[in-house]
Amino acid sequence: MLCNQCVVGEVCRCRSAWLVSDAELSNPEFIRDVRAFAHALGVAPDAWRDYLSNLYRDYPGAILMRAGVEIFLDMSEFERPNIHSWFDHFCCAPCPDHVTPYLRQEAWERGRVLATILRARFPEKAAFWGLAGLADNDNRPRR
C-alpha cells in the first residue's frame, strides 16, 4: 500500500532498498545467508525466475545505489539457457556448514539482482545477512 504522498507516482519514496554491494557479494557469510533464506522459501528451480519477477514488479518502493540514485534491476540476468540449474544450485540447495560459499565472478550480477529483490521484499529477514560473527560494538562498515 502506498502512502498518500506517493499514490500519484505509484512508487513510494518512503520505502526503498539498497542495491547489494560488491563487498556483500564477496562476503561468504552474506552469500550463505542469502542462500539459506532462498532455500527456506521453498520455490522450485523452474519457478524462481517468475517468482523474482513478480516480487520485483510488485515492490512499491525504489532500489537505490549507494549515492541514493534510483536504479532499475536488469532482469535479463535470468534469461539464460538452463537458468533453472543455477537456481537449483544457489537457491534450492542448502549450503553445507563446512563449505565456504562464494559467487563466481560471472554470476555476480545474477546474485546481486536476486539478493537485492529478496532484501527489498523481506527487509526484516535480510537485516542480519552477512553479520554472523561480528560483535555488536564492531564499527566496521557493513556495506
Side-chain angles (χ1 to χ4, degrees):
M1 178 143 221
L2 299 176
C3 65
N4 292 337
Q5 298 163 337
C6 300
V7 170
V8 175
E10 296 183 7
V11 173
C12 183
R13 296 291 173 199
C14 302
R15 179 181 278 175
S16 62
W18 295 110
L19 181 69
V20 168
S21 69
D22 288 351
E24 289 169 315
L25 290 176
S26 62
N27 177 353
E29 292 308 315
F30 182 84
I31 298 301
R32 181 183 305 283
D33 291 343
V34 171
R35 287 185 61 181
F37 181 76
H39 178 257
L41 290 172
V43 178
D46 57 349
W48 264 100
R49 181 174 35 205
D50 288 340
Y51 180 72
L52 288 173
S53 294
N54 292 339
L55 285 178
Y56 185 40
R57 179 198 65 214
D58 297 338
Y59 181 60
I63 305 297
L64 304 176
M65 295 182 355
R66 293 290 166 217
V69 176
E70 184 176 4
I71 187 170
F72 296 95
L73 301 176
D74 182 5
M75 297 301 286
S76 70
E77 285 295 323
F78 305 115
E79 299 296 328
R80 300 170 182 269
N82 300 317
I83 190 67
H84 65 279
S85 296
W86 185 80
F87 285 128
D88 188 35
H89 170 75
F90 191 82
C91 300
C92 300
C95 186
D97 290 338
H98 67 281
V99 172
T100 301
Y102 67 95
L103 269 173
R104 292 176 37 187
Q105 191 70 33
E106 54 271 11
W108 268 38
E109 290 311 308
R110 211 173 316 152
R112 184 184 322 272
V113 171
L114 179 136
T116 299
I117 291 170
L118 293 179
R119 177 161 63 192
R121 292 310 303 248
F122 305 101
E124 300 84 17
K125 303 285 186 182
F128 299 102
W129 288 352
L131 300 181
L134 293 179
D136 287 340
N137 62 352
D138 190 346
N139 293 327
R140 288 181 287 171
R142 296 200 180 2
R143 299 186 196 272

